[in-house]
Amino acid sequence: ASSAALTRFLDDTECTVCYLIPTGEAVSANSTDVPTPAQMRKKLIALHRVNPDIAITKDNIKESCILLEMTKNVMDQLNMYCQSIYLSTLTNPSNQTGWSDLVAKDFMD
């Protein structure tokens, strides 16, 4: 099942993600379902297809695939990134130059 999931991710352009989940001494791959909470207890790797129109080959895998390490606290990490990077960038007055009053007011509220 694991090799079939990985093969599907590499060959099927409609398959946009494949999760590599450690299970004891092996690693299982899943390209159809989001990992369960039990599978998220430890770290897992998500392979994400960059361009949905291109099959992934050994020649283009570096440019065609992004590896994401995910842990059980993925939502906490996402919140931290949003607060520390995106929010600070968007609230910086120098980055708001050219915004209409409506957009700036809407964003700040």
Side-chain angles (χ1 to χ4, degrees):
S2 291
S3 71
L6 191 53
T7 300
R8 179 175 178 251
F9 171 73
L10 295 172
D11 297 338
D12 183 355
T13 56
E14 291 187 18
C15 181
T16 59
V17 69
C18 182
Y19 299 100
L20 303 176
I21 305 162
T23 57
E25 305 218 359
V27 174
S28 70
N30 180 348
S31 61
T32 56
D33 300 317
V34 174
T36 65
Q39 292 171 320
M40 290 288 292
R41 285 189 190 136
K42 295 185 178 182
K43 292 181 182 179
L44 62 90
I45 302 291
L47 303 170
H48 190 272
R49 180 182 301 277
V50 173
N51 188 338
D53 300 325
I54 297 174
I56 298 172
T57 66
K58 66 180 181 177
D59 297 324
N60 71 3
I61 193 164
K62 288 181 183 178
E63 300 83 26
S64 300
C65 186
I66 296 173
L67 298 174
L68 303 168
E69 181 181 29
M70 299 173 71
T71 63
K72 64 182 176 182
N73 57 352
V74 69
M75 295 309 289
D76 293 335
Q77 290 174 335
L78 183 60
N79 183 47
M80 180 190 68
Y81 292 143
C82 288
Q83 292 291 326
S84 64
I85 298 170
Y86 297 115
L87 189 59
S88 63
T89 301
L90 291 172
T91 56
N92 182 337
S94 332
N95 296 332
Q96 297 174 5
T97 305
W99 287 11
S100 71
D101 290 339
L102 180 63
V103 170
K105 182 181 181 315
D106 191 38
F107 181 76
M108 294 309 222
D109 289 342

